[in-house]
C-alpha cells in the first residue's frame, strides 16, 4: 500500500474514548512515518485493559478521511476484530496488559 503520510496510534483504557481517544486525556498517542517500519512502542503502561486504534493518514490532514462513511485511508485495531459497519466496540478490541505485551495489528484498506 501507499507509504506516504503517517500512522497515528492511540492506546486507551477508556471505553468511552475509543477509537479516536480525543476524550481521554490519559490516552497514549504516537505518530510515525508510514515508511518507518512496523514497531511502535509504549513505555510505562500501567496494568489494565486497553484497546489500540491506528489510522494511516496518507494525506497528513490529521484525520481518517471517508467517502459515504467508508474509510478512504487505512485503519486497524488491536485484536483485529471483524469490521462490519463502523468501528468495533472497545470490548471487541480490548486486551489485558499486566506487564510487557505485544499486539499485531493488520491494517485494513477499503478502497
Amino acid at each position: 500500500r501507499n507509504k506516504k503520510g503517517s500512522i497515528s496510534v492511540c492506546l486507551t483504557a477508556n471505553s468511552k474514548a475509543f477509537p479516536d481517544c480525543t476524550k481521554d486525556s490519559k490516552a497514549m498517542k504516537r505518530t510515525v512515518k508510514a515508511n518507518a517500519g512496523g514497531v511502535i512502542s509504549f513505555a510505562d503502561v500501567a496494568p489494565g485493559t486497553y484497546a489500540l486504534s491506528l489510522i494511516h493518514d496518507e494525506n497528513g490532514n490529521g484525520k481518517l478521511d471517508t467517502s459515504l462513511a467508508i474509510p478512504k485511508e487505512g485503519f486497524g485495531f488491536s485484536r483485529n476484530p471483524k469490521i462490519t459497519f463502523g468501528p468495533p466496540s472497545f470490548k471487541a478490541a480490548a486486551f489485558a496488559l499486566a506487564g510487557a505485551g505485544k499486539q499485531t495489528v493488520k491494517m485494513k484498506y477499503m478502497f
Side-chain angles (χ1 to χ4, degrees):
R1 183 69 191 202
N2 177 341
K3 297 288 185 177
K4 293 180 181 177
S6 61
I7 304 291
S8 296
V9 183
C10 169
L11 176 69
T12 184
N14 184 338
S15 62
K16 294 178 181 175
F18 184 78
D20 72 1
C21 297
T22 56
K23 297 177 184 171
D24 183 3
S25 63
K26 296 180 182 178
M28 296 185 186
K29 300 176 184 178
R30 300 282 186 277
T31 301
V32 298
K33 290 183 179 182
N35 63 0
V39 177
I40 299 168
S41 298
F42 292 90
D44 300 322
V45 179
T49 301
Y50 295 89
L52 278 167
S53 61
L54 291 82
I55 295 172
H56 181 184
D57 184 11
E58 295 180 35
N59 60 6
N61 68 353
K63 64 180 185 173
L64 179 66
D65 294 324
T66 61
S67 176
L68 301 173
I70 299 170
K72 293 171 60 177
E73 298 174 304
F75 60 90
F77 304 98
S78 47
R79 295 187 51 216
N80 299 299
K82 184 176 180 177
I83 303 298
T84 52
F85 185 78
S89 67
F90 179 85
K91 183 178 179 181
F95 61 95
L97 187 65
K102 179 180 177 180
Q103 285 288 311
T104 301
V105 177
K106 295 179 184 176
M107 296 297 287
K108 298 181 187 298
Y109 294 87
M110 307 304 278
F111 284 98

